[in-house]
Amino acid sequence: MITRRQLLGGLAVAASAPTARAAVSATSPGAFETEEILCCYAARPDFKKTSALRAPDPLALSATQAIIDLIGMRPVFHVHEADFNNGSVAFAAVRTRERHVVYDAKWFPFEEKGLGWYMVAILAHEIGHHIYGHTNGVGATRHRDELDADRFSGWAVARLGGAEEHALSFAPRLTLAATPSHPARPDRIEAYREG
Ligand SMILES: [Zn+2]
């Protein structure tokens, strides 16, 4: 678990700052279409349920703010919480220039466990897709994009005071072999390390 002091020491401030609030959608964007999804971490969500998104936990917002503060970006992400309960951890989506990050409440139990490094690493991965301006794709391009997002995540965790083990804390759960959407686990671990 990360203390507020560790994560830039300014998370509590970030959560209440007007700029942080700008990253939250007041209302759900409605159901996402498959072609709007840039990346699904671990498993694809049930897209029918993406119409039931809700406002994020303040810690998710603080972590997002801390990550984009690293690169001096103004908050341009909408963060949402969802209950997919199907193994889906998080995903990134883009719709008409609006960029979204959605996480599953089961994998991000903020009230119970606080903010864990694996949560920061996954949010940073999804934010990385947005920063790179990735679009939905397949094959080799898709894999290269995933490694870029992993590398950004490793970089962000390190800048936020995390160690290599923190950046890789979710790695044992990644698919060992490559899939059409994601590279093999060893390649992804290497990218996180590079970051
Ligand atoms: Zn990804």
Side-chain angles (χ1 to χ4, degrees):
M1 178 172 159
I2 307 167
T3 65
R4 286 190 171 156
R5 188 187 168 88
Q6 273 178 302
L7 198 50
L8 291 188
L11 280 184
V13 176
S16 59
T19 50
R21 282 201 296 274
V24 188
S25 289
T27 54
S28 165
F32 284 102
E33 305 292 332
T34 309
E35 59 269 21
E36 294 174 320
I37 308 299
L38 306 180
C39 163
C40 297
Y41 210 99
R44 298 183 74 76
D46 177 350
F47 290 110
K48 288 193 211 84
K49 293 189 178 174
T50 58
S51 58
L53 305 179
R54 55 180 180 265
D57 186 281
L59 282 173
L61 196 54
S62 299
T64 301
Q65 186 69 47
I67 293 162
I68 61 180
D69 277 351
L70 292 174
I71 53 170
M73 201 175 188
R74 72 185 170 83
V76 290
F77 303 106
H78 300 288
V79 186
H80 314 278
E81 186 174 275
D83 293 307
F84 293 120
N85 284 319
N86 70 342
S88 177
V89 175
F91 70 87
V94 64
R95 174 185 292 165
T96 56
R97 293 168 58 90
E98 296 289 318
R99 295 188 168 269
H100 301 268
V101 173
V102 181
Y103 65 88
D104 187 271
K106 178 172 167 279
W107 289 100
F108 289 72
F110 294 111
E111 282 192 15
E112 206 182 308
K113 296 187 173 169
L115 179 62
W117 278 111
Y118 79 89
M119 302 176 189
V120 175
I122 290 168
L123 288 172
H125 173 98
E126 300 304 349
I127 290 166
H129 281 297
H130 285 311
I131 289 169
Y132 273 100
H134 290 159
T135 51
N136 206 343
V138 289
T141 312
R142 175 81 246 154
H143 280 196
R144 192 195 61 208
D145 289 355
E146 289 306 327
L147 295 176
D148 281 344
D150 287 338
R151 207 172 288 114
F152 174 80
S153 176
W155 176 87
V157 167
R159 292 302 175 286
L160 290 169
E164 185 176 304
E165 69 194 73
H166 297 132
L168 293 172
S169 44
F170 199 80
R173 294 174 183 273
L174 298 175
T175 325
L176 186 56
T179 65
S181 65
H182 285 74
R185 190 194 297 165
D187 295 338
R188 298 194 60 187
I189 287 175
E190 189 54 35
Y192 272 106
R193 285 209 175 105
E194 279 172 23

